[in-house]
Amino acid sequence: MQTEARELIAPDFLALTIGIVVFFVGVLITQRVEFLRRYSIPEPVTGGFVAALVVWAVHILFRTDIGFDMTTRDKLLVIFFATVGVNARLADLAAGGRVLGVLCLVTVAFVFLQDTVGTVGAVLLGMPKAAGVVAGSMSLVGGHGTAIAWGPKIAAEHGFPAALESGMAVATVSLIIASLLGGPLAKLLIERNGIAVPGTGAEDGALPPEADAAPIDKMAVMRAMLAVNVTVILGYLAHAWLTEATGVTLPLFVPCLLAGMLLSNTVPILLPRLRWPAHTAALDLLSSYALSIFLAMSLMSMQLWTLAGSAADLFILVAVQTAVAAGYIVFVVFPALGRDYQAAVLSGGFTGLSLGSTPTAIASMSAITRRYGPSPNAFVILPLVSAFFVDIVNVGAITLFLRL
């Protein structure tokens, strides 16, 4: 009789430290593997996969499950989007207004396409129709959070008892695919279409790329940290008010992003002598740190062995959904956004939006811009679309297809 696996949970600070180590493992591997550099695979993704494989090996060899306290990881996500907001200018948004609207439209259409593909595939494979939603926008566009929220309800009410476990498996596999697909897809679009790129190196308003050699001093870092902390406090207050006043629960990073935008477009006007940290190397440093460690911690905590027992039919559906997403990006998203460099960067990020998560999308775009050159508007446009429109539309799409 096989004994039940022990469980070890790394406390919060230790989990954070391991996440930093995992990031540097990814850096070392990426420096030595040409494929990873060529296709713009983010370093935390590489390190995170290696760490997840190690955790899997421990599970098999020692019958021990390693878990991580993710309290700090969740805070890093909020900090990252606060830095995006602080770096956002209304002039940038105005310049990308048409692109923002178009991206909203193609994203809304894609959510319903994803559930249509999932439902048709589930019926053809002899699965419950609800499985199509599980292998559709619930777990793909929605990710782990939406899968956790909807899984028990689908299991109880729609004849698919394994909805939660299947949703988590689909979300995990699609996250891996999205992490690997964004860079190569953007590379294909840029090089096949002969798109002129701005060139590597930081540029005013760019977020990231990393600026390893940029001048940063203590005061600059402290100013950036203070601005970000004030932004997060305002975001928390706004989040609590919105939840109480409207009953709608948005992800916490949304009001933090908006609070940063509000401050960045009012404080420099009201207090012109104040050295606001927008578009500084210090703010880019905080942004890069928060995103990199968030992604490393997310991937290293994946329990890959849970995928082994998943039904083969679900993985067939995921493969079909991946092909549909790639085709949609190449033939719909990229042309609709203008076939330029920003369109290519957003198309690379759309893989994360459609198959993974917003942080995955941002990480893919960061790797792309680090190689080819800055595209600052992309880092504001895509989070706004994923935050405001996707979650709301996804609720409607899931509800509709579950009633079919």
Side-chain angles (χ1 to χ4, degrees):
M1 182 177 177
Q2 195 174 37
T3 59
E4 188 173 332
R6 295 181 303 157
E7 186 175 21
L8 296 177
I9 303 296
D12 185 38
F13 190 75
L14 177 58
L16 171 63
T17 305
I18 294 172
I20 296 173
V21 173
V22 165
F23 168 76
F24 280 110
V25 169
V27 171
L28 291 174
I29 295 174
T30 301
Q31 289 174 347
R32 288 163 173 76
V33 180
E34 172 64 21
F35 171 84
L36 298 175
R37 296 195 305 274
R38 180 183 304 165
Y39 289 99
S40 304
I41 305 303
E43 293 92 342
V45 171
T46 302
F49 285 156
V50 172
L53 290 173
V54 171
V55 171
W56 191 2
V58 171
H59 168 78
I60 294 173
L61 297 175
F62 303 103
R63 300 296 302 159
T64 301
D65 295 345
I66 299 177
F68 303 91
D69 185 334
M70 291 297 182
T71 303
T72 295
R73 182 205 65 170
D74 297 338
K75 293 177 181 178
L76 289 173
L77 178 64
V78 172
I79 291 171
F80 169 72
F81 279 106
T83 66
V84 173
V86 171
N87 231 26
R89 298 177 296 190
L90 290 178
D92 294 335
L93 290 177
R98 174 194 168 277
V99 175
L100 178 63
V102 171
L103 187 59
C104 288
L105 292 176
V106 298
T107 302
V108 168
F110 182 77
V111 171
F112 286 90
L113 173 63
Q114 203 166 58
D115 280 334
T116 300
V117 171
T119 301
V120 171
V123 172
L124 291 176
L125 292 170
M127 304 173 69
K129 284 194 295 185
V133 175
V134 172
S137 68
M138 184 191 91
S139 306
L140 299 176
V141 165
H144 290 85
T146 305
I148 292 171
W150 282 88
K153 178 180 175 63
I154 293 176
E157 301 176 10
H158 295 277
F160 189 39
L164 177 59
E165 294 79 8
S166 298
M168 295 299 288
V170 170
T172 300
V173 172
S174 65
L175 178 64
I176 295 171
I177 294 171
S179 299
L180 298 174
L181 187 60
L185 190 60
K187 179 178 185 293
L188 171 68
L189 293 173
I190 291 170
E191 296 182 0
R192 189 181 72 175
N193 293 278
I195 296 173
V197 299
T200 57
E203 190 174 277
D204 183 35
L207 180 67
E210 291 181 12
D212 294 336
I216 301 176
D217 59 28
K218 179 180 71 175
M219 294 304 296
V221 172
M222 296 301 289
R223 277 193 294 269
M225 292 180 66
L226 177 60
V228 169
N229 282 9
V230 171
T231 297
V232 171
I233 291 171
L234 293 178
Y236 267 97
L237 294 174
H239 183 263
W241 178 82
L242 285 170
T243 302
E244 182 177 347
T246 66
V248 177
T249 303
L250 291 172
L252 178 60
F253 72 79
V254 177
C256 290
L257 171 66
L258 294 176
M261 293 175 61
L262 176 64
L263 291 176
S264 198
N265 287 278
T266 55
V267 171
I269 296 174
L270 298 175
L271 302 171
R273 293 186 179 181
L274 182 68
R275 297 180 64 180
W276 188 247
H279 314 302
T280 62
L283 187 67
D284 284 350
L285 174 65
L286 293 181
S287 173
S288 180
Y289 170 79
L291 176 62
S292 296
I293 306 307
F294 170 86
L295 196 56
M297 293 180 71
S298 296
L299 293 174
M300 76 186 191
S301 64
M302 293 191 304
Q303 296 182 330
L304 296 176
W305 62 89
T306 62
L307 305 182
S310 299
D313 289 343
L314 283 173
F315 290 100
I316 293 174
L317 289 177
V318 172
V320 173
Q321 293 281 23
T322 300
V324 170
Y328 190 82
I329 290 168
V330 172
F331 297 108
V332 177
V333 175
F334 178 66
L337 296 180
R339 298 179 180 272
D340 55 9
Y341 177 63
Q342 179 176 266
V345 174
L346 285 170
S347 295
F350 198 88
T351 59
L353 188 153
S354 60
L355 295 172
S357 64
T358 301
T360 306
I362 296 296
S364 294
M365 294 196 302
S366 299
I368 294 163
T369 55
R370 190 178 305 126
R371 176 173 183 182
Y372 292 102
S375 181
N377 290 353
F379 290 90
V380 177
I381 292 171
L382 188 137
L384 287 175
V385 173
S386 65
F388 280 112
F389 298 97
V390 170
D391 288 338
I392 296 172
V393 171
N394 201 15
V395 170
I398 292 171
T399 303
L400 173 65
F401 278 86
L402 287 176
R403 290 176 177 175
L404 292 179

